[in-house]
Amino acid sequence: MTKNIPNLRGILAVMGGVTAGLGIMYLFDPQSGGERRAAIRDKAVDLSNDVRKSVYATGADLKERAQDVIQDATARIPKLGLAPQPSPARTSSPQATGKSDHRAAN
């Protein structure tokens, strides 16, 4: 594309510079620039608050859905016969036999 217009990069650079200059002039205008910057700041704060509320609401919704899935799965386990079997009770504890558990010492 640049072969057809030899100075395309230079033209785009000048246009970008002019656009940036106009934007800076618009925002830092001595008469109305402060109002424009305040309006932009207010919109940015409003947008930030909206995003924060949306993220919080989405997180709360996902938490509720996850709890529903867990509750549903927990309710289905006995029906499927997948309930964990109780482990056999120990007949003696390490304290009763005087033996110490080597894992507890580490």
Side-chain angles (χ1 to χ4, degrees):
M1 183 171 175
T2 59
K3 292 180 182 179
N4 295 338
I5 304 173
N7 294 327
L8 181 61
R9 286 190 177 182
I11 292 170
L12 291 175
V14 169
M15 288 175 61
V18 168
T19 303
L22 288 172
I24 291 171
M25 185 177 73
Y26 182 77
L27 290 176
F28 292 102
D29 174 27
Q31 294 177 354
S32 302
E35 293 172 12
R36 291 181 187 130
R37 290 190 303 273
I40 291 171
R41 181 180 55 245
D42 292 344
K43 287 183 182 185
V45 168
D46 290 343
L47 178 63
S48 173
N49 289 337
D50 290 346
V51 168
R52 185 179 298 118
K53 288 176 186 176
S54 177
V55 168
Y56 178 79
T58 301
D61 181 52
L62 288 174
K63 179 182 175 183
E64 184 176 325
R65 288 178 187 220
Q67 289 172 340
D68 290 345
V69 167
I70 291 170
Q71 185 178 13
D72 184 46
T74 304
R76 289 180 185 214
I77 287 175
K79 294 177 187 175
L80 298 174
L82 300 174
Q85 300 298 323
S87 60
R90 286 185 159 182
T91 56
S92 62
S93 67
Q95 290 83 10
T97 60
K99 296 179 181 176
S100 65
D101 189 2
H102 70 279
R103 291 174 290 177
N106 291 334

